[in-house]
PDB file of all heavy atoms in Angstrom:
ATOM      1  N   ARG A   6     -35.686  61.936 -85.216  1.00 86.00           N
ATOM      2  CA  ARG A   6     -34.684  61.393 -86.145  1.00 86.00           C
ATOM      3  C   ARG A   6     -33.242  61.690 -85.640  1.00 86.00           C
ATOM      4  O   ARG A   6     -32.371  62.182 -86.329  1.00 86.00           O
ATOM      5  CB  ARG A   6     -34.901  61.962 -87.548  1.00 86.00           C
ATOM      6  CG  ARG A   6     -33.997  61.491 -88.618  1.00 86.00           C
ATOM      7  CD  ARG A   6     -34.001  59.995 -88.830  1.00 86.00           C
ATOM      8  NE  ARG A   6     -35.090  59.539 -89.653  1.00 86.00           N
ATOM      9  CZ  ARG A   6     -35.156  58.303 -90.147  1.00 86.00           C
ATOM     10  NH1 ARG A   6     -34.218  57.464 -89.907  1.00 86.00           N
ATOM     11  NH2 ARG A   6     -36.180  57.910 -90.859  1.00 86.00           N
ATOM     12  N   ILE A   7     -32.989  61.396 -84.344  1.00 88.00           N
ATOM     13  CA  ILE A   7     -31.710  61.629 -83.744  1.00 88.00           C
ATOM     14  C   ILE A   7     -30.746  60.552 -84.271  1.00 88.00           C
ATOM     15  O   ILE A   7     -30.958  59.378 -83.973  1.00 88.00           O
ATOM     16  CB  ILE A   7     -31.791  61.651 -82.244  1.00 88.00           C
ATOM     17  CG1 ILE A   7     -32.802  62.701 -81.762  1.00 88.00           C
ATOM     18  CG2 ILE A   7     -30.441  61.886 -81.620  1.00 88.00           C
ATOM     19  CD1 ILE A   7     -33.133  62.672 -80.317  1.00 88.00           C
ATOM     20  N   THR A   8     -29.715  60.956 -84.970  1.00 86.00           N
ATOM     21  CA  THR A   8     -28.877  60.002 -85.703  1.00 86.00           C
ATOM     22  C   THR A   8     -27.401  60.265 -85.381  1.00 86.00           C
ATOM     23  O   THR A   8     -26.849  61.323 -85.759  1.00 86.00           O
ATOM     24  CB  THR A   8     -29.037  60.128 -87.236  1.00 86.00           C
ATOM     25  OG1 THR A   8     -30.465  60.002 -87.516  1.00 86.00           O
ATOM     26  CG2 THR A   8     -28.298  59.042 -87.950  1.00 86.00           C
ATOM     27  N   PRO A   9     -26.752  59.357 -84.601  1.00 82.00           N
ATOM     28  CA  PRO A   9     -25.283  59.492 -84.428  1.00 82.00           C
ATOM     29  C   PRO A   9     -24.601  59.364 -85.780  1.00 82.00           C
ATOM     30  O   PRO A   9     -24.931  58.529 -86.607  1.00 82.00           O
ATOM     31  CB  PRO A   9     -24.931  58.306 -83.528  1.00 82.00           C
ATOM     32  CG  PRO A   9     -26.226  57.946 -82.866  1.00 82.00           C
ATOM     33  CD  PRO A   9     -27.291  58.232 -83.867  1.00 82.00           C
ATOM     34  N   ALA A  10     -23.609  60.224 -86.051  1.00 70.00           N
ATOM     35  CA  ALA A  10     -22.983  60.325 -87.346  1.00 70.00           C
ATOM     36  C   ALA A  10     -21.689  59.568 -87.438  1.00 70.00           C
ATOM     37  O   ALA A  10     -20.726  60.028 -88.043  1.00 70.00           O
ATOM     38  CB  ALA A  10     -22.764  61.764 -87.754  1.00 70.00           C
ATOM     39  N   GLY A  11     -21.617  58.407 -86.851  1.00 56.00           N
ATOM     40  CA  GLY A  11     -20.417  57.583 -86.984  1.00 56.00           C
ATOM     41  C   GLY A  11     -19.250  58.020 -86.133  1.00 56.00           C
ATOM     42  O   GLY A  11     -18.156  58.166 -86.575  1.00 56.00           O
ATOM     43  N   HIS A  12     -19.556  58.349 -84.819  1.00 48.00           N
ATOM     44  CA  HIS A  12     -18.520  58.909 -83.980  1.00 48.00           C
ATOM     45  C   HIS A  12     -17.400  57.956 -83.665  1.00 48.00           C
ATOM     46  O   HIS A  12     -16.247  58.305 -83.523  1.00 48.00           O
ATOM     47  CB  HIS A  12     -19.139  59.386 -82.647  1.00 48.00           C
ATOM     48  CG  HIS A  12     -18.200  60.140 -81.788  1.00 48.00           C
ATOM     49  ND1 HIS A  12     -17.524  59.512 -80.746  1.00 48.00           N
ATOM     50  CD2 HIS A  12     -17.767  61.432 -81.807  1.00 48.00           C
ATOM     51  CE1 HIS A  12     -16.725  60.405 -80.163  1.00 48.00           C
ATOM     52  NE2 HIS A  12     -16.853  61.558 -80.774  1.00 48.00           N
ATOM     53  N   LYS A  13     -17.703  56.621 -83.578  1.00 51.00           N
ATOM     54  CA  LYS A  13     -16.703  55.675 -83.172  1.00 51.00           C
ATOM     55  C   LYS A  13     -15.627  55.504 -84.232  1.00 51.00           C
ATOM     56  O   LYS A  13     -14.450  55.403 -83.947  1.00 51.00           O
ATOM     57  CB  LYS A  13     -17.354  54.333 -82.826  1.00 51.00           C
ATOM     58  CG  LYS A  13     -18.191  54.378 -81.550  1.00 51.00           C
ATOM     59  CD  LYS A  13     -18.731  53.044 -81.177  1.00 51.00           C
ATOM     60  CE  LYS A  13     -19.509  53.103 -79.866  1.00 51.00           C
ATOM     61  NZ  LYS A  13     -20.046  51.782 -79.529  1.00 51.00           N
ATOM     62  N   ASP A  14     -16.059  55.381 -85.520  1.00 46.00           N
ATOM     63  CA  ASP A  14     -15.066  55.133 -86.565  1.00 46.00           C
ATOM     64  C   ASP A  14     -14.826  56.378 -87.418  1.00 46.00           C
ATOM     65  O   ASP A  14     -14.069  56.308 -88.390  1.00 46.00           O
ATOM     66  CB  ASP A  14     -15.519  53.967 -87.463  1.00 46.00           C
ATOM     67  CG  ASP A  14     -16.912  54.227 -88.051  1.00 46.00           C
ATOM     68  OD1 ASP A  14     -17.458  55.297 -87.834  1.00 46.00           O
ATOM     69  OD2 ASP A  14     -17.431  53.297 -88.743  1.00 46.00           O
ATOM     70  N   LYS A  15     -15.469  57.524 -87.055  1.00 49.00           N
ATOM     71  CA  LYS A  15     -15.304  58.815 -87.762  1.00 49.00           C
ATOM     72  C   LYS A  15     -15.802  58.771 -89.197  1.00 49.00           C
ATOM     73  O   LYS A  15     -15.523  59.677 -89.987  1.00 49.00           O
ATOM     74  CB  LYS A  15     -13.811  59.223 -87.754  1.00 49.00           C
ATOM     75  CG  LYS A  15     -13.181  59.293 -86.358  1.00 49.00           C
ATOM     76  CD  LYS A  15     -13.857  60.257 -85.497  1.00 49.00           C
ATOM     77  CE  LYS A  15     -13.206  60.274 -84.118  1.00 49.00           C
ATOM     78  NZ  LYS A  15     -13.903  61.176 -83.167  1.00 49.00           N
ATOM     79  N   ALA A  16     -16.548  57.758 -89.572  1.00 46.00           N
ATOM     80  CA  ALA A  16     -17.032  57.672 -90.951  1.00 46.00           C
ATOM     81  C   ALA A  16     -18.219  58.612 -91.126  1.00 46.00           C
ATOM     82  O   ALA A  16     -19.183  58.574 -90.324  1.00 46.00           O
ATOM     83  CB  ALA A  16     -17.439  56.206 -91.307  1.00 46.00           C
ATOM     84  N   LEU A  17     -18.195  59.418 -92.167  1.00 45.00           N
ATOM     85  CA  LEU A  17     -19.319  60.305 -92.529  1.00 45.00           C
ATOM     86  C   LEU A  17     -19.650  61.305 -91.397  1.00 45.00           C
ATOM     87  O   LEU A  17     -20.797  61.667 -91.185  1.00 45.00           O
ATOM     88  CB  LEU A  17     -20.595  59.460 -92.877  1.00 45.00           C
ATOM     89  CG  LEU A  17     -20.407  58.491 -94.048  1.00 45.00           C
ATOM     90  CD1 LEU A  17     -21.674  57.699 -94.224  1.00 45.00           C
ATOM     91  CD2 LEU A  17     -20.035  59.221 -95.311  1.00 45.00           C
ATOM     92  N   GLU A  18     -18.657  61.679 -90.638  1.00 57.00           N
ATOM     93  CA  GLU A  18     -18.952  62.580 -89.531  1.00 57.00           C
ATOM     94  C   GLU A  18     -18.993  64.022 -90.001  1.00 57.00           C
ATOM     95  O   GLU A  18     -19.933  64.771 -89.670  1.00 57.00           O
ATOM     96  CB  GLU A  18     -17.844  62.413 -88.419  1.00 57.00           C
ATOM     97  CG  GLU A  18     -18.148  63.232 -87.218  1.00 57.00           C
ATOM     98  CD  GLU A  18     -17.143  62.949 -86.081  1.00 57.00           C
ATOM     99  OE1 GLU A  18     -16.607  61.849 -86.049  1.00 57.00           O
ATOM    100  OE2 GLU A  18     -16.953  63.874 -85.259  1.00 57.00           O
ATOM    101  N   TYR A  19     -17.992  64.471 -90.703  1.00 62.00           N
ATOM    102  CA  TYR A  19     -17.967  65.842 -91.280  1.00 62.00           C
ATOM    103  C   TYR A  19     -18.194  66.908 -90.196  1.00 62.00           C
ATOM    104  O   TYR A  19     -19.046  67.795 -90.378  1.00 62.00           O
ATOM    105  CB  TYR A  19     -18.905  65.963 -92.453  1.00 62.00           C
ATOM    106  CG  TYR A  19     -18.627  65.098 -93.579  1.00 62.00           C
ATOM    107  CD1 TYR A  19     -19.395  63.932 -93.832  1.00 62.00           C
ATOM    108  CD2 TYR A  19     -17.537  65.348 -94.453  1.00 62.00           C
ATOM    109  CE1 TYR A  19     -19.099  63.129 -94.894  1.00 62.00           C
ATOM    110  CE2 TYR A  19     -17.264  64.473 -95.503  1.00 62.00           C
ATOM    111  CZ  TYR A  19     -18.042  63.372 -95.734  1.00 62.00           C
ATOM    112  OH  TYR A  19     -17.738  62.522 -96.738  1.00 62.00           O
ATOM    113  N   GLY A  20     -17.500  66.829 -89.064  1.00 61.00           N
ATOM    114  CA  GLY A  20     -17.582  67.852 -88.071  1.00 61.00           C
ATOM    115  C   GLY A  20     -18.727  67.692 -87.087  1.00 61.00           C
ATOM    116  O   GLY A  20     -18.889  68.546 -86.207  1.00 61.00           O
ATOM    117  N   LYS A  21     -19.576  66.690 -87.214  1.00 76.00           N
ATOM    118  CA  LYS A  21     -20.696  66.541 -86.278  1.00 76.00           C
ATOM    119  C   LYS A  21     -20.739  65.111 -85.760  1.00 76.00           C
ATOM    120  O   LYS A  21     -20.430  64.150 -86.459  1.00 76.00           O
ATOM    121  CB  LYS A  21     -22.017  66.878 -86.943  1.00 76.00           C
ATOM    122  CG  LYS A  21     -22.358  66.079 -88.204  1.00 76.00           C
ATOM    123  CD  LYS A  21     -23.595  66.628 -88.844  1.00 76.00           C
ATOM    124  CE  LYS A  21     -23.847  65.938 -90.230  1.00 76.00           C
ATOM    125  NZ  LYS A  21     -22.767  66.235 -91.200  1.00 76.00           N
ATOM    126  N   ASP A  22     -21.128  64.983 -84.492  1.00 84.00           N
ATOM    127  CA  ASP A  22     -21.311  63.667 -83.879  1.00 84.00           C
ATOM    128  C   ASP A  22     -22.739  63.160 -84.034  1.00 84.00           C
ATOM    129  O   ASP A  22     -22.959  61.957 -84.048  1.00 84.00           O
ATOM    130  CB  ASP A  22     -20.895  63.742 -82.397  1.00 84.00           C
ATOM    131  CG  ASP A  22     -19.461  64.117 -82.202  1.00 84.00           C
ATOM    132  OD1 ASP A  22     -18.634  63.591 -82.975  1.00 84.00           O
ATOM    133  OD2 ASP A  22     -19.140  64.948 -81.325  1.00 84.00           O
ATOM    134  N   VAL A  23     -23.712  64.089 -84.053  1.00 88.00           N
ATOM    135  CA  VAL A  23     -25.118  63.696 -84.106  1.00 88.00           C
ATOM    136  C   VAL A  23     -25.823  64.777 -84.987  1.00 88.00           C
ATOM    137  O   VAL A  23     -25.447  65.931 -84.973  1.00 88.00           O
ATOM    138  CB  VAL A  23     -25.737  63.773 -82.656  1.00 88.00           C
ATOM    139  CG1 VAL A  23     -27.213  63.412 -82.749  1.00 88.00           C
ATOM    140  CG2 VAL A  23     -25.007  62.843 -81.754  1.00 88.00           C
ATOM    141  N   TRP A  24     -26.800  64.330 -85.709  1.00 89.00           N
ATOM    142  CA  TRP A  24     -27.721  65.266 -86.378  1.00 89.00           C
ATOM    143  C   TRP A  24     -29.132  64.869 -86.021  1.00 89.00           C
ATOM    144  O   TRP A  24     -29.428  63.731 -85.731  1.00 89.00           O
ATOM    145  CB  TRP A  24     -27.490  65.361 -87.899  1.00 89.00           C
ATOM    146  CG  TRP A  24     -27.953  64.180 -88.712  1.00 89.00           C
ATOM    147  CD1 TRP A  24     -27.242  63.115 -89.104  1.00 89.00           C
ATOM    148  CD2 TRP A  24     -29.292  63.988 -89.254  1.00 89.00           C
ATOM    149  NE1 TRP A  24     -27.997  62.255 -89.860  1.00 89.00           N
ATOM    150  CE2 TRP A  24     -29.252  62.783 -89.947  1.00 89.00           C
ATOM    151  CE3 TRP A  24     -30.471  64.724 -89.191  1.00 89.00           C
ATOM    152  CZ2 TRP A  24     -30.394  62.231 -90.611  1.00 89.00           C
ATOM    153  CZ3 TRP A  24     -31.597  64.204 -89.860  1.00 89.00           C
ATOM    154  CH2 TRP A  24     -31.523  62.969 -90.537  1.00 89.00           C
ATOM    155  N   MET A  25     -30.058  65.854 -86.048  1.00 91.00           N
ATOM    156  CA  MET A  25     -31.424  65.595 -85.618  1.00 91.00           C
ATOM    157  C   MET A  25     -32.300  66.678 -86.266  1.00 91.00           C
ATOM    158  O   MET A  25     -31.835  67.638 -86.842  1.00 91.00           O
ATOM    159  CB  MET A  25     -31.556  65.622 -84.122  1.00 91.00           C
ATOM    160  CG  MET A  25     -31.028  66.893 -83.497  1.00 91.00           C
ATOM    161  SD  MET A  25     -30.702  66.741 -81.760  1.00 91.00           S
ATOM    162  CE  MET A  25     -30.052  68.367 -81.395  1.00 91.00           C
ATOM    163  N   ARG A  26     -33.618  66.523 -86.075  1.00 91.00           N
ATOM    164  CA  ARG A  26     -34.562  67.498 -86.614  1.00 91.00           C
ATOM    165  C   ARG A  26     -35.622  67.826 -85.544  1.00 91.00           C
ATOM    166  O   ARG A  26     -35.898  67.003 -84.636  1.00 91.00           O
ATOM    167  CB  ARG A  26     -35.262  66.938 -87.862  1.00 91.00           C
ATOM    168  CG  ARG A  26     -35.684  65.501 -87.795  1.00 91.00           C
ATOM    169  CD  ARG A  26     -36.175  64.947 -89.103  1.00 91.00           C
ATOM    170  NE  ARG A  26     -37.568  65.349 -89.320  1.00 91.00           N
ATOM    171  CZ  ARG A  26     -38.230  65.074 -90.433  1.00 91.00           C
ATOM    172  NH1 ARG A  26     -37.608  64.488 -91.405  1.00 91.00           N
ATOM    173  NH2 ARG A  26     -39.496  65.446 -90.562  1.00 91.00           N
ATOM    174  N   TYR A  27     -36.139  69.037 -85.646  1.00 89.00           N
ATOM    175  CA  TYR A  27     -37.158  69.480 -84.698  1.00 89.00           C
ATOM    176  C   TYR A  27     -38.319  70.099 -85.454  1.00 89.00           C
ATOM    177  O   TYR A  27     -38.146  71.088 -86.180  1.00 89.00           O
ATOM    178  CB  TYR A  27     -36.563  70.541 -83.748  1.00 89.00           C
ATOM    179  CG  TYR A  27     -37.475  70.847 -82.608  1.00 89.00           C
ATOM    180  CD1 TYR A  27     -37.548  70.065 -81.445  1.00 89.00           C
ATOM    181  CD2 TYR A  27     -38.339  71.969 -82.647  1.00 89.00           C
ATOM    182  CE1 TYR A  27     -38.357  70.386 -80.399  1.00 89.00           C
ATOM    183  CE2 TYR A  27     -39.194  72.303 -81.618  1.00 89.00           C
ATOM    184  CZ  TYR A  27     -39.185  71.511 -80.477  1.00 89.00           C
ATOM    185  OH  TYR A  27     -40.058  71.800 -79.443  1.00 89.00           O
ATOM    186  N   PRO A  28     -39.524  69.503 -85.328  1.00 85.00           N
ATOM    187  CA  PRO A  28     -40.695  70.042 -86.055  1.00 85.00           C
ATOM    188  C   PRO A  28     -41.291  71.244 -85.343  1.00 85.00           C
ATOM    189  O   PRO A  28     -41.491  71.228 -84.152  1.00 85.00           O
ATOM    190  CB  PRO A  28     -41.677  68.841 -86.042  1.00 85.00           C
ATOM    191  CG  PRO A  28     -41.324  68.054 -84.832  1.00 85.00           C
ATOM    192  CD  PRO A  28     -39.825  68.237 -84.606  1.00 85.00           C
ATOM    193  N   LEU A  29     -41.594  72.266 -86.085  1.00 83.00           N
ATOM    194  CA  LEU A  29     -42.232  73.482 -85.531  1.00 83.00           C
ATOM    195  C   LEU A  29     -43.772  73.315 -85.627  1.00 83.00           C
ATOM    196  O   LEU A  29     -44.278  72.486 -86.326  1.00 83.00           O
ATOM    197  CB  LEU A  29     -41.793  74.704 -86.344  1.00 83.00           C
ATOM    198  CG  LEU A  29     -40.287  75.028 -86.304  1.00 83.00           C
ATOM    199  CD1 LEU A  29     -40.008  76.201 -87.247  1.00 83.00           C
ATOM    200  CD2 LEU A  29     -39.817  75.349 -84.913  1.00 83.00           C
ATOM    201  N   PRO A  30     -44.481  74.136 -84.815  1.00 74.00           N
ATOM    202  CA  PRO A  30     -45.962  74.025 -84.880  1.00 74.00           C
ATOM    203  C   PRO A  30     -46.540  74.304 -86.257  1.00 74.00           C
ATOM    204  O   PRO A  30     -47.652  73.879 -86.566  1.00 74.00           O
ATOM    205  CB  PRO A  30     -46.409  75.115 -83.873  1.00 74.00           C
ATOM    206  CG  PRO A  30     -45.274  75.277 -82.954  1.00 74.00           C
ATOM    207  CD  PRO A  30     -44.038  75.021 -83.771  1.00 74.00           C
ATOM    208  N   THR A  31     -45.780  75.006 -87.114  1.00 80.00           N
ATOM    209  CA  THR A  31     -46.228  75.288 -88.482  1.00 80.00           C
ATOM    210  C   THR A  31     -45.932  74.156 -89.456  1.00 80.00           C
ATOM    211  O   THR A  31     -46.179  74.287 -90.650  1.00 80.00           O
ATOM    212  CB  THR A  31     -45.502  76.523 -89.007  1.00 80.00           C
ATOM    213  OG1 THR A  31     -44.092  76.338 -88.964  1.00 80.00           O
ATOM    214  CG2 THR A  31     -45.879  77.727 -88.157  1.00 80.00           C
ATOM    215  N   GLN A  32     -45.408  73.010 -88.909  1.00 80.00           N
ATOM    216  CA  GLN A  32     -45.031  71.841 -89.681  1.00 80.00           C
ATOM    217  C   GLN A  32     -43.744  72.030 -90.467  1.00 80.00           C
ATOM    218  O   GLN A  32     -43.346  71.139 -91.225  1.00 80.00           O
ATOM    219  CB  GLN A  32     -46.172  71.413 -90.641  1.00 80.00           C
ATOM    220  CG  GLN A  32     -47.491  71.144 -89.972  1.00 80.00           C
ATOM    221  CD  GLN A  32     -47.393  70.125 -88.818  1.00 80.00           C
ATOM    222  OE1 GLN A  32     -46.819  69.060 -88.990  1.00 80.00           O
ATOM    223  NE2 GLN A  32     -47.911  70.465 -87.654  1.00 80.00           N
ATOM    224  N   HIS A  33     -43.049  73.147 -90.329  1.00 87.00           N
ATOM    225  CA  HIS A  33     -41.726  73.284 -90.878  1.00 87.00           C
ATOM    226  C   HIS A  33     -40.733  72.512 -89.955  1.00 87.00           C
ATOM    227  O   HIS A  33     -41.067  72.259 -88.781  1.00 87.00           O
ATOM    228  CB  HIS A  33     -41.302  74.761 -90.945  1.00 87.00           C
ATOM    229  CG  HIS A  33     -42.133  75.538 -91.894  1.00 87.00           C
ATOM    230  ND1 HIS A  33     -43.322  76.146 -91.563  1.00 87.00           N
ATOM    231  CD2 HIS A  33     -41.954  75.870 -93.223  1.00 87.00           C
ATOM    232  CE1 HIS A  33     -43.815  76.776 -92.583  1.00 87.00           C
ATOM    233  NE2 HIS A  33     -43.018  76.637 -93.617  1.00 87.00           N
ATOM    234  N   VAL A  34     -39.565  72.200 -90.510  1.00 91.00           N
ATOM    235  CA  VAL A  34     -38.620  71.400 -89.779  1.00 91.00           C
ATOM    236  C   VAL A  34     -37.246  72.101 -89.761  1.00 91.00           C
ATOM    237  O   VAL A  34     -36.791  72.626 -90.754  1.00 91.00           O
ATOM    238  CB  VAL A  34     -38.456  69.980 -90.412  1.00 91.00           C
ATOM    239  CG1 VAL A  34     -37.327  69.208 -89.731  1.00 91.00           C
ATOM    240  CG2 VAL A  34     -39.775  69.233 -90.322  1.00 91.00           C
ATOM    241  N   LEU A  35     -36.638  72.163 -88.557  1.00 92.00           N
ATOM    242  CA  LEU A  35     -35.285  72.668 -88.408  1.00 92.00           C
ATOM    243  C   LEU A  35     -34.330  71.501 -88.204  1.00 92.00           C
ATOM    244  O   LEU A  35     -34.630  70.546 -87.449  1.00 92.00           O
ATOM    245  CB  LEU A  35     -35.207  73.651 -87.229  1.00 92.00           C
ATOM    246  CG  LEU A  35     -35.975  74.941 -87.322  1.00 92.00           C
ATOM    247  CD1 LEU A  35     -35.754  75.790 -86.074  1.00 92.00           C
ATOM    248  CD2 LEU A  35     -35.535  75.740 -88.545  1.00 92.00           C
ATOM    249  N   TYR A  36     -33.151  71.624 -88.781  1.00 93.00           N
ATOM    250  CA  TYR A  36     -32.127  70.547 -88.654  1.00 93.00           C
ATOM    251  C   TYR A  36     -30.969  71.033 -87.776  1.00 93.00           C
ATOM    252  O   TYR A  36     -30.556  72.214 -87.858  1.00 93.00           O
ATOM    253  CB  TYR A  36     -31.595  70.145 -90.011  1.00 93.00           C
ATOM    254  CG  TYR A  36     -32.620  69.371 -90.857  1.00 93.00           C
ATOM    255  CD1 TYR A  36     -33.518  70.053 -91.673  1.00 93.00           C
ATOM    256  CD2 TYR A  36     -32.695  68.005 -90.778  1.00 93.00           C
ATOM    257  CE1 TYR A  36     -34.452  69.361 -92.402  1.00 93.00           C
ATOM    258  CE2 TYR A  36     -33.610  67.313 -91.525  1.00 93.00           C
ATOM    259  CZ  TYR A  36     -34.518  67.981 -92.350  1.00 93.00           C
ATOM    260  OH  TYR A  36     -35.453  67.303 -93.069  1.00 93.00           O
ATOM    261  N   PHE A  37     -30.521  70.166 -86.941  1.00 92.00           N
ATOM    262  CA  PHE A  37     -29.456  70.526 -85.993  1.00 92.00           C
ATOM    263  C   PHE A  37     -28.321  69.524 -86.083  1.00 92.00           C
ATOM    264  O   PHE A  37     -28.520  68.324 -86.292  1.00 92.00           O
ATOM    265  CB  PHE A  37     -29.999  70.479 -84.522  1.00 92.00           C
ATOM    266  CG  PHE A  37     -31.017  71.539 -84.242  1.00 92.00           C
ATOM    267  CD1 PHE A  37     -32.337  71.340 -84.573  1.00 92.00           C
ATOM    268  CD2 PHE A  37     -30.663  72.729 -83.561  1.00 92.00           C
ATOM    269  CE1 PHE A  37     -33.286  72.313 -84.310  1.00 92.00           C
ATOM    270  CE2 PHE A  37     -31.641  73.659 -83.297  1.00 92.00           C
ATOM    271  CZ  PHE A  37     -32.947  73.473 -83.649  1.00 92.00           C
ATOM    272  N   GLY A  38     -27.091  70.014 -85.926  1.00 90.00           N
ATOM    273  CA  GLY A  38     -25.937  69.142 -85.775  1.00 90.00           C
ATOM    274  C   GLY A  38     -25.297  69.372 -84.427  1.00 90.00           C
ATOM    275  O   GLY A  38     -25.436  70.488 -83.833  1.00 90.00           O
ATOM    276  N   ILE A  39     -24.631  68.350 -83.898  1.00 91.00           N
ATOM    277  CA  ILE A  39     -24.002  68.440 -82.581  1.00 91.00           C
ATOM    278  C   ILE A  39     -22.528  68.044 -82.708  1.00 91.00           C
ATOM    279  O   ILE A  39     -22.228  67.004 -83.271  1.00 91.00           O
ATOM    280  CB  ILE A  39     -24.725  67.556 -81.547  1.00 91.00           C
ATOM    281  CG1 ILE A  39     -26.137  68.098 -81.275  1.00 91.00           C
ATOM    282  CG2 ILE A  39     -23.947  67.497 -80.272  1.00 91.00           C
ATOM    283  CD1 ILE A  39     -26.884  67.277 -80.268  1.00 91.00           C
ATOM    284  N   GLN A  40     -21.663  68.855 -82.114  1.00 89.00           N
ATOM    285  CA  GLN A  40     -20.253  68.479 -81.898  1.00 89.00           C
ATOM    286  C   GLN A  40     -20.060  68.364 -80.387  1.00 89.00           C
ATOM    287  O   GLN A  40     -20.226  69.389 -79.675  1.00 89.00           O
ATOM    288  CB  GLN A  40     -19.295  69.485 -82.537  1.00 89.00           C
ATOM    289  CG  GLN A  40     -17.846  69.149 -82.308  1.00 89.00           C
ATOM    290  CD  GLN A  40     -17.460  67.753 -82.832  1.00 89.00           C
ATOM    291  OE1 GLN A  40     -16.869  66.961 -82.128  1.00 89.00           O
ATOM    292  NE2 GLN A  40     -17.831  67.445 -84.073  1.00 89.00           N
ATOM    293  N   ALA A  41     -19.777  67.175 -79.893  1.00 89.00           N
ATOM    294  CA  ALA A  41     -19.697  66.944 -78.468  1.00 89.00           C
ATOM    295  C   ALA A  41     -18.248  66.663 -78.035  1.00 89.00           C
ATOM    296  O   ALA A  41     -17.532  65.914 -78.684  1.00 89.00           O
ATOM    297  CB  ALA A  41     -20.597  65.804 -78.048  1.00 89.00           C
ATOM    298  N   LYS A  42     -17.851  67.244 -76.920  1.00 89.00           N
ATOM    299  CA  LYS A  42     -16.544  66.991 -76.296  1.00 89.00           C
ATOM    300  C   LYS A  42     -16.787  66.705 -74.810  1.00 89.00           C
ATOM    301  O   LYS A  42     -17.596  67.358 -74.169  1.00 89.00           O
ATOM    302  CB  LYS A  42     -15.619  68.218 -76.445  1.00 89.00           C
ATOM    303  CG  LYS A  42     -15.344  68.607 -77.916  1.00 89.00           C
ATOM    304  CD  LYS A  42     -14.559  67.531 -78.635  1.00 89.00           C
ATOM    305  CE  LYS A  42     -14.297  67.965 -80.097  1.00 89.00           C
ATOM    306  NZ  LYS A  42     -13.645  66.853 -80.856  1.00 89.00           N
ATOM    307  N   ARG A  43     -16.051  65.756 -74.309  1.00 87.00           N
ATOM    308  CA  ARG A  43     -16.271  65.345 -72.904  1.00 87.00           C
ATOM    309  C   ARG A  43     -15.660  66.296 -71.872  1.00 87.00           C
ATOM    310  O   ARG A  43     -16.065  66.390 -70.728  1.00 87.00           O
ATOM    311  CB  ARG A  43     -15.780  63.932 -72.649  1.00 87.00           C
ATOM    312  CG  ARG A  43     -14.245  63.779 -72.639  1.00 87.00           C
ATOM    313  CD  ARG A  43     -13.828  62.452 -72.136  1.00 87.00           C
ATOM    314  NE  ARG A  43     -14.247  62.275 -70.728  1.00 87.00           N
ATOM    315  CZ  ARG A  43     -13.524  62.665 -69.716  1.00 87.00           C
ATOM    316  NH1 ARG A  43     -12.344  63.276 -69.868  1.00 87.00           N
ATOM    317  NH2 ARG A  43     -13.933  62.451 -68.472  1.00 87.00           N
TER     318      ARG A  43
END
């Protein structure tokens, strides 16, 4: 569920460019946000 958070127009970004999730072997899920700079 890798989702760009509106980087081009800054809409709904709230400090992150991308959010995503990572499933653990126990079926729990961790959520991650990314702030990227070139």
Side-chain angles (χ1 to χ4, degrees):
R6 181 58 83 167
I7 303 171
T8 307
H12 186 264
K13 289 184 179 180
D14 57 4
K15 306 298 180 185
L17 302 177
E18 185 174 333
Y19 298 106
K21 58 186 172 295
D22 297 319
V23 180
W24 73 267
M25 56 198 178
R26 43 188 279 176
Y27 189 84
L29 298 175
T31 58
Q32 303 307 309
H33 295 86
V34 175
L35 294 179
Y36 289 88
F37 294 81
I39 292 180
Q40 179 56 231
K42 300 296 180 185
R43 70 169 297 273

